[in-house]
């Protein structure tokens, strides 16, 4: 897993462009691999000075499925949302707006 740390840092620094003080939500489903990757990204975001939070939710069953209300609320209040899921994610839901 350590060979993934550099690519995850690149995602956080150059793709998402996390900034110090930014509200960042890391969202994972319950699969172990998803949770591990989200945990690494969470730790990277914290090390970059972000106000980071990690949430874990049940896997989506279909594309476009709405996340639980608590997750949707956190997504809307965040400046950056990174979701690490196997299969479907919240990218095509109303919560991403």
């Amino acid at each position: 897993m350590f060979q993934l740390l550099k690519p995850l840092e690149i995602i956080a620094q150059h793709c998402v462009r996390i900034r110090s003080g930014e509200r960042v939500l890391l969202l994972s489903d319950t699969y172990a691999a998803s949770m591990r990757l989200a945990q690494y990204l969470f730790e990277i975001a914290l090390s970059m000075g972000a106000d980071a939070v990690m949430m874990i939710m049940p896997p989506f069953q279909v594309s476009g499925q709405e996340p639980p209300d608590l997750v949707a609320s956190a997504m809307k209040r965040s400046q950056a949302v990174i979701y690490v899921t196997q299969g479907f994610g919240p990218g095509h839901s109303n919560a991403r707006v």
Side-chain angles (χ1 to χ4, degrees):
M1 192 58 89
F2 289 110
Q3 66 253 48
L4 288 177
L5 290 180
K6 188 62 176 172
L8 293 175
E9 288 174 356
I10 291 169
I11 289 169
Q13 295 170 354
H14 300 289
C15 299
V16 182
R17 301 175 79 92
I18 293 172
R19 300 289 178 242
S20 181
E22 194 170 40
R23 292 184 311 273
V24 178
L25 173 63
L26 281 294
L27 184 58
S28 175
D29 57 26
T30 57
Y31 293 104
S34 300
M35 290 191 293
R36 276 194 303 275
L37 290 174
Q39 178 70 35
Y40 284 130
L41 284 164
F42 171 74
E43 292 171 10
I44 291 167
L46 288 177
S47 75
M48 295 173 69
D51 180 12
V53 173
M54 183 173 160
M55 298 179 87
I56 301 168
M57 62 179 206
F60 286 171
Q61 301 302 309
V62 295
S63 180
Q65 179 179 338
E66 294 301 320
D69 289 343
L70 185 61
V71 173
S73 177
M75 289 174 69
K76 289 181 180 180
R77 294 187 55 146
S78 299
Q79 293 167 296
V81 178
I82 304 171
Y83 53 93
V84 183
T85 59
Q86 292 185 24
F88 301 111
H92 294 286
S93 70
N94 292 325
R96 69 173 176 75
V97 179

